[in-house]
Amino acid sequence: MKLAGGTQYPIRRDDLERPRFFERRDLLIYMIGTIASSIASVLGITIVRYTIGPAFSSSGVSGWTNAGLLEDIPEHKPLKRSLVVSQEAGWGRVNLQKLVWIIRSGNDFTVFSAVCPHLGCTINEAAEGFICPCHGSAWDAQGKKIGGPAPRNLDVLEHRRNGDILEVRYQSFKQGVAGQEVVN
Ligand code: FES
């Protein structure tokens, strides 16, 4: 090829056919696209987190829940009760079923969560108190840990008498930690 100054400039055929990636304009478009998609991802996660997310999360604390008539709770024999617990969950309240163990001694009551503080299996009654069927943690009748991998005693729930009704304030607690820490 002959250029303006009379210089012969040889252009090879494969120079003309070779795709020219990442010219300056292509690089700019690529960078703008990358930045825009990053911003969209962050915004998307934030929107989901603050709009849809709360609907699927619930507070671990309920109000006072009816746990039955006092006269129906036998003495010195752990009673397993299923409570319908109303808890905050994002945009409203949800009703959840929760198991508790109630122990009566005269007019004194103790209420334990039936959730194992190890990994959350349901605790059963045993000859000396309570046992978890999953990994064999055991507690005595007062809820004191006597064996197994559970990191603490049984979780005690607040209760009160309201006339002839026992009411329980259900709470969920962190699993796998030594202290009874409420999940919020
Ligand atoms: S879940 Fe209860 S001992 Fe592991």
Side-chain angles (χ1 to χ4, degrees), residues 116 118-121 132 134-137 139 149-150:
C116 178
H118 181 222
L119 293 177
C121 290
C132 178
C134 291
H135 310 104
S137 289
W139 299 264

Side-chain angles (χ1 to χ4, degrees), residues 2-182:
K2 192 158 188 169
L3 298 179
T7 313
Q8 289 285 341
Y9 185 78
I11 298 178
R12 290 174 304 172
R13 182 180 169 75
D14 49 333
D15 277 345
L16 292 171
E17 291 175 351
R18 189 183 303 150
R20 303 181 71 187
F21 294 114
F22 291 112
E23 281 184 350
R24 209 182 314 177
R25 195 181 64 168
D26 297 336
L27 184 62
L28 195 61
I29 290 169
Y30 174 78
M31 285 172 65
I32 290 170
T34 305
I35 292 168
S37 57
S38 302
I39 291 170
S41 304
V42 171
L43 279 177
I45 291 167
T46 307
I47 288 167
V48 168
R49 166 90 173 75
Y50 286 98
T51 55
I52 299 168
F56 297 101
S57 63
S58 63
S59 155
V61 184
S62 77
W64 290 104
T65 303
N66 185 336
L69 286 168
L70 295 172
E71 64 185 27
D72 291 344
I73 300 169
E75 281 209 51
H76 305 297
K77 167 88 181 116
L79 174 69
K80 193 185 203 177
R81 270 273 154 87
S82 174
L83 307 183
V84 179
V85 169
S86 175
Q87 290 184 332
E88 281 292 338
W91 298 313
R93 297 189 76 79
V94 289
N95 287 337
L96 303 168
Q97 229 171 19
K98 302 287 184 181
L99 293 171
V100 298
W101 283 103
I102 303 171
I103 297 156
R104 177 177 193 165
S105 177
N107 283 326
D108 293 329
F109 296 85
T110 306
V111 183
F112 295 124
S113 168
V115 176
C116 178
H118 181 222
L119 293 177
C121 290
T122 300
I123 293 161
N124 294 331
E125 190 182 0
E128 300 130 42
F130 301 91
I131 192 159
C132 178
C134 291
H135 310 104
S137 289
W139 299 264
D140 66 16
Q142 285 71 48
K144 189 165 180 281
K145 190 189 140 189
I146 52 178
R152 60 179 186 260
N153 297 338
L154 290 184
D155 292 322
V156 179
L157 297 168
E158 281 181 71
H159 69 275
R160 71 180 183 189
R161 274 183 259 186
N162 186 358
D164 54 358
I165 299 282
L166 182 74
E167 292 182 333
V168 173
R169 188 161 172 263
Y170 191 86
Q171 293 179 295
S172 298
F173 302 98
K174 282 188 191 161
Q175 291 157 10
V177 296
Q180 187 176 319
E181 296 176 34
V182 177

